[in-house]
Amino acid sequence: MPIRVMLVDDQVLLRTGFKMVLAAQPDMEVVAEAGDGAEALEVLRAHTVDVVLMDVRMPRLDGVEATRRICREGQGGPGNPKVLILTTFDLDEYAFTGLKAGAAGFLLKDVPPDELLSGIRSVYSGDAVVAPSTTRRLLNRFASMLPVTRATDHPELEQLTDREHEVLTLIAQGLSNGEIARKLFVSEATVKTHVGRILAKLHLRDRVQAVVLAYETGLVQAGG
């Protein structure tokens, strides 16, 4: 079964361009479109969608609030699809709040076609972070938006082993599983096991939430 994708953007030409790219892929299908967040919620109730490409700045209901309702309030219809935020990066400081709202990651609007396709496939397969280094740059840029918390406010961090703590730090620094494996001289499969245990112990949905938590608690500093 192909990956069922929904496009949500108030720019018709942008949706058309993305749709052309996706339609050429045998493993993808655009099953729905919407021009703003409110329409997206309505359309999602009538369609089964795997991945939503969600713009941030839209009329009526913006992409952040739409993402929050899809991911946290179960208003996205059956299956609760993964959401990828679309951002221009230079302007969209709201991309970070999109991640906080539950988005699986984000893509730049001018992303090359191969990266767009790779990002959709990665998120569909469960790898929430589309581009770890880009996520780090975004968080560094908008670190002032982070709520100030302390590690002591998150006692679950104490459940991590020394190695898991090390892996969490490297995830937050923007390293991929492969890069972490090479840095720690272990196999990539071992890193994946550590990541799974970290998410389970911290009650996190995905790697993006792990990155956010690491920044919030000061485990990783902006620009560090």
Side-chain angles (χ1 to χ4, degrees):
M1 182 179 295
I3 302 172
R4 295 161 294 195
V5 181
M6 180 179 187
L7 305 176
V8 184
D9 197 294
D10 60 343
Q11 299 181 43
V12 177
L13 287 178
L14 189 144
R15 295 204 312 264
T16 300
F18 279 178
K19 188 173 183 178
M20 290 177 62
V21 172
L22 271 59
Q25 304 302 308
D27 62 337
M28 294 185 189
E29 178 184 7
V30 176
V31 296
E33 297 182 47
D36 59 56
E39 183 183 0
L41 294 177
E42 296 172 2
V43 173
L44 275 171
R45 295 188 183 101
H47 293 78
T48 300
V49 176
D50 299 311
V51 178
V52 178
L53 295 184
M54 179 77 74
D55 187 23
V56 174
R57 298 167 181 256
M58 296 180 292
R60 293 208 296 167
L61 188 70
D62 64 37
V64 173
E65 181 58 28
T67 297
R68 182 176 294 109
R69 296 186 187 184
I70 291 171
C71 297
R72 295 187 178 179
E73 300 178 12
Q75 295 187 23
N80 280 346
K82 301 288 184 65
V83 178
L84 281 177
I85 293 290
L86 296 172
T87 173
T88 55
F89 183 67
D90 287 335
L91 299 176
D92 285 337
E93 65 273 17
Y94 301 112
F96 172 73
T97 57
L99 298 180
K100 286 284 290 181
F106 66 92
L107 297 171
L108 304 182
K109 280 194 172 183
D110 59 354
V111 62
D114 59 334
E115 291 185 22
L116 170 66
L117 300 172
S118 175
I120 293 173
R121 292 186 180 107
S122 294
V123 167
Y124 175 71
S125 67
D127 187 0
V129 177
V130 177
S133 59
T134 307
T135 301
R136 180 185 61 183
R137 288 198 300 271
L138 182 76
L139 290 171
N140 283 339
R141 185 183 178 100
F142 302 118
S144 61
M145 299 174 62
L146 286 163
V148 178
T149 65
R150 299 168 299 173
T152 53
D153 295 328
H154 298 271
E156 63 272 21
L157 287 172
E158 298 179 2
Q159 301 178 40
L160 301 182
T161 66
D162 289 343
R163 178 46 62 93
E164 288 166 353
H165 191 279
E166 188 175 14
V167 170
L168 175 59
T169 301
L170 294 174
I171 290 173
Q173 290 175 352
L175 275 66
S176 66
N177 284 350
E179 291 169 334
I180 294 173
R182 289 190 291 273
K183 188 176 184 66
L184 299 181
F185 302 101
V186 298
S187 69
E188 191 166 344
T190 298
V191 174
K192 290 181 179 179
T193 298
H194 285 312
V195 172
R197 289 174 178 168
I198 290 168
L199 298 182
K201 289 182 178 181
L202 301 182
H203 307 291
L204 301 174
R205 184 190 63 252
D206 52 47
R207 290 172 64 115
V208 169
Q209 288 193 335
V211 172
V212 171
L213 178 64
Y215 273 73
E216 286 180 340
T217 58
L219 184 63
V220 173
Q221 300 292 330

